Amino acid sequence: MIVLIKLIIPFSVWGQQKGVESEDRLFHIERSKNRNLVCYDVNLIDTKLNTNKPLDIYWVNQEEKAGQVNGLSAIEKKFAYGYKLISQGEDQSEFTLTAYPGRVITVQYLNGKYVCTIQIDNHTAILEKLYVQAKSGNSLAVEYIELFGKTPDTGKLVYEKVENKK
């Protein structure tokens, strides 16, 4: 007799909490402030990338209302978790994150699905998550950001910690 067992594992190899799963998930942001996630999904129109608005961004509550999904406020989009388009192509777009304009991120179709690629530790990588560590005593100031991803060709895990020098 064959018995199939489905395991629910809350943490990946990076220690990230998955939250509400989405087939369209590109990456998410974790923060030291709480366990809630800011999720970035690909925005498609009839299976094609919406190059004018390539990302759908929302909160996934991991604490008091676990699993609840909420959109971002206008202030959150403008000053923290939104993005700025840099270029648009037929099936890809380049953007920077509002709170982290130092790196260009490309959303593109690669190996059968949409992903976001970025430079992590001098490697082109598929971005999986960012972790933001707030400064002690000021949750609006960033101490450092950690980038987690994997190389598209070999799947090698890559990591980089970027200190805020301010």
Side-chain angles (χ1 to χ4, degrees), residues 26 48 50 119 145 162:
L26 296 168
K48 291 282 194 183
N50 179 347
Q119 288 294 308
I145 295 173
V162 181

Side-chain angles (χ1 to χ4, degrees), residues 47-60:
T47 72
K48 291 282 194 183
L49 180 65
N50 179 347
T51 56
N52 293 319
K53 187 179 177 251
L55 304 176
D56 180 26
I57 310 167
Y58 54 93
W59 286 100
V60 173

